[in-house]
């Protein structure tokens, strides 16, 4: 080993062997007043958001069901949500599976 390597190893051993000192001094453990301002601003924002949300929730109806669903039911009568458009009138059996997807068939 050369002298530089020995000095580096010895210096690292000295640093690692030191006992950690407890932090002390006039500024240790003190918080900045800016932190208090930030926390109070965040708290005020949360309070305002909760109030606004409660106002909007009070305006919602108890249910979203229509009072008179008859017109909607008349339109929905006879519709099949799983039907394929353009398949022919009155055809109820499902399409037969093919090896080729429909968009690639010629």
């Amino acid at each position: 080993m050369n002298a530089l390597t020995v000095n580096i190893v010895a210096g690292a051993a000295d640093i690692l062997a030191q006992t950690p000192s407890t932090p002390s001094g006039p500024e240790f453990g003190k918080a900045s007043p800016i932190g208090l301002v930030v926390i109070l601003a965040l708290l005020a924002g949360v309070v305002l958001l909760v109030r606004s949300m409660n106002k909007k929730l009070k305006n919602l109806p108890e249910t979203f069901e229509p009072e008179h669903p008859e017109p909607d039911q008349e339109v929905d009568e006879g519709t099949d949500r799983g039907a394929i458009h353009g398949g022919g009138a009155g055809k109820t059996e499902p399409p037969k599976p093919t090896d080729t997807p429909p968009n690639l068939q010629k």
Side-chain angles (χ1 to χ4, degrees), residues 48-62 64:
L48 292 174
L49 285 172
V50 168
R51 287 182 58 204
S52 173
M53 180 184 63
N54 283 335
K55 286 180 185 177
K56 292 195 180 290
L57 286 176
K58 286 179 185 177
N59 292 333
L60 287 177
E62 290 206 18
F64 289 102

Side-chain angles (χ1 to χ4, degrees), residues 3-90:
L4 181 62
T5 307
V6 171
N7 286 338
I8 292 174
V9 171
D14 286 342
I15 292 173
L16 292 175
Q18 292 178 359
T19 58
S21 62
T22 57
S24 61
E27 296 298 317
F28 177 73
K30 292 186 178 178
S32 169
I34 295 173
L36 177 63
V37 171
V38 169
I39 290 174
L40 291 177
L42 289 173
L43 182 64
V46 168
V47 168
L48 292 174
L49 285 172
V50 168
R51 287 182 58 204
S52 173
M53 180 184 63
N54 283 335
K55 286 180 185 177
K56 292 195 180 290
L57 286 176
K58 286 179 185 177
N59 292 333
L60 287 177
E62 290 206 18
T63 179
F64 289 102
E65 296 293 325
E67 291 179 16
H68 302 288
E70 294 84 19
D72 291 335
Q73 287 177 348
E74 288 176 7
V75 172
D76 288 341
E77 289 297 322
T79 58
D80 184 12
R81 294 181 186 231
I84 297 176
H85 297 291

